[in-house]
Amino acid sequence: MSEKMMKMLVEGGRILGISLEMFHMEHFQRYYSVLMEWNRKMNLTAITEEEEVVVKHFLDSISVLKSDKIKGDEKIIDIGTGAGFPGIPLKIVFPNLKLTLLEASKKKVNFLSYLSHVLSLTDVEIIHGRAEELGHAEKYREKFEIAIARAVAPLNVLLEYAIPFVEPDGYFIAMKGREIGEVKECKRAFEELKCAVENIVEVRLPFSDILHHLIVIKKKEHLPLKYPRKEKLIRNKPL
Ligand code: SAM
């Protein structure tokens, strides 16, 4: 990553409320190199231009901090993390996070394992699996203070993936784009899944006119065992 991009990252971090130090920057630089190296062999991201990676991947991931729910040592699961977004940038910024990355594609899981090794990340668990299956596993069900997801599914589907992982009084932060009309269509999903929108935070990405929203959803009580349902039902009959 060039000197100019490093400066953008530091300034973007500052705008988003975080002061990035030299060791953070070294990690982001290594992340960028490994991402580009692997991206030549497999399809990890369509975003490859340096400045776009900084803004649309790194800074966008860090923008979750604007939800005001992440203080630095929480137990967090990133559902459908792909090439590690937003989970890995958050872990770089807050090394004490206890991070679980869940991803359905084995190839991406291999990338994440290699990346985690190269960055010497500790307290990171990488799981190859599907959210609707892992959400029933004793080890993961209602075990996280916070779940996060970016670009995985429409909100009514995503809620059924994510809420089973969240402990009562915990939060699911859904990273959504400019349009958030879908929130209004999730009334039944909120009721069935024992959760409610606590806050919607508008985020303007630094160095762009891209507007995003963080939907901050609070889980109120334990979830009935029937959720999450099987993948086909979730997709064909979303709540
Ligand atoms: N969150 C990353 C990002 O914003 O760059 C990746 C987004 S990518 C469009 C969606 C990812 O979610 C894919 O890597 C896919 O394999 C994963 N995914 C989709 N449904 C899933 C599920 N039910 N359980 C686990 N992973 C899932």
Side-chain angles (χ1 to χ4, degrees):
M1 226 159 56
S2 65
E3 187 80 6
K4 184 180 167 216
M5 289 310 121
M6 305 274 266
K7 282 194 177 141
M8 270 182 87
L9 197 47
V10 171
E11 177 59 11
R14 194 193 60 74
I15 293 167
L16 294 168
I18 188 93
S19 162
L20 296 174
E21 312 284 337
M22 192 43 102
F23 74 96
H24 296 127
M25 303 310 292
E26 283 165 8
H27 274 71
F28 278 116
Q29 195 150 26
R30 226 166 287 156
Y31 191 175
Y32 179 73
S33 307
V34 176
L35 182 65
M36 290 305 113
E37 186 190 319
W38 280 58
N39 210 42
R40 276 180 227 119
K41 300 177 277 185
M42 59 183 276
N43 184 20
L44 282 169
T45 176
I47 295 171
T48 55
E49 203 263 313
E50 210 180 32
E51 185 169 332
E52 275 200 301
V53 174
V54 167
V55 174
K56 294 184 183 170
H57 280 329
F58 294 163
L59 291 174
D60 189 34
S61 295
I62 294 173
S63 77
V64 182
L65 300 183
K66 285 284 178 192
S67 68
D68 239 11
K69 295 298 173 199
I70 301 176
K71 303 299 171 206
D73 59 357
E74 289 85 358
K75 195 165 183 240
I76 290 193
I77 183 164
D78 179 7
I79 297 161
T81 186
F85 304 113
I88 300 268
L90 290 173
K91 177 70 183 171
I92 292 175
V93 170
F94 287 134
N96 292 333
L97 283 180
K98 293 172 267 303
L99 177 66
T100 297
L101 300 170
L102 173 58
E103 173 50 50
S105 150
K106 181 67 182 146
K107 282 184 182 169
K108 290 177 183 172
V109 163
N110 292 342
F111 164 77
L112 293 167
S113 301
Y114 178 73
L115 178 68
S116 171
H117 167 73
V118 169
L119 298 182
S120 306
L121 300 179
T122 54
D123 273 336
V124 174
E125 183 180 14
I126 301 163
I127 318 173
H128 174 222
R130 294 201 60 91
E132 61 277 22
E133 290 167 13
L134 268 294
H136 283 289
E138 161 81 27
K139 188 173 172 203
Y140 302 110
R141 189 177 174 87
E142 300 193 324
K143 295 292 191 295
F144 295 88
E145 292 161 271
I146 296 172
I148 42 178
R150 184 183 84 159
V152 176
L155 190 59
N156 53 357
V157 170
L158 195 53
L159 283 166
E160 194 164 346
Y161 288 165
I163 294 296
F165 293 103
V166 180
E167 61 186 25
D169 289 331
Y171 289 91
F172 169 45
I173 305 165
M175 300 178 72
K176 289 288 176 182
R178 185 181 286 264
E179 298 305 326
I180 48 165
E182 58 180 332
V183 177
K184 286 195 205 94
E185 283 147 36
C186 291
K187 204 165 168 273
R188 178 155 171 255
F190 292 135
E191 273 166 24
E192 284 290 313
L193 300 170
K194 314 291 179 200
C195 58
V197 173
E198 184 182 277
N199 196 8
I200 296 180
V201 183
E202 186 182 283
V203 181
R204 184 172 292 280
L205 283 190
F207 314 111
S208 79
D209 53 8
I210 301 170
L211 203 63
H212 281 177
H213 290 91
L214 305 171
I215 318 290
V216 182
I217 295 152
K218 182 165 187 173
K219 173 140 168 200
K220 295 185 290 188
E221 50 190 275
H222 289 293
L223 194 63
L225 276 175
K226 65 176 171 176
Y227 296 119
R229 296 166 298 157
K230 299 259 186 248
E231 167 64 5
K232 249 191 177 167
L233 271 177
I234 298 179
R235 287 271 165 195
N236 297 341
K237 290 188 188 280
L239 292 170

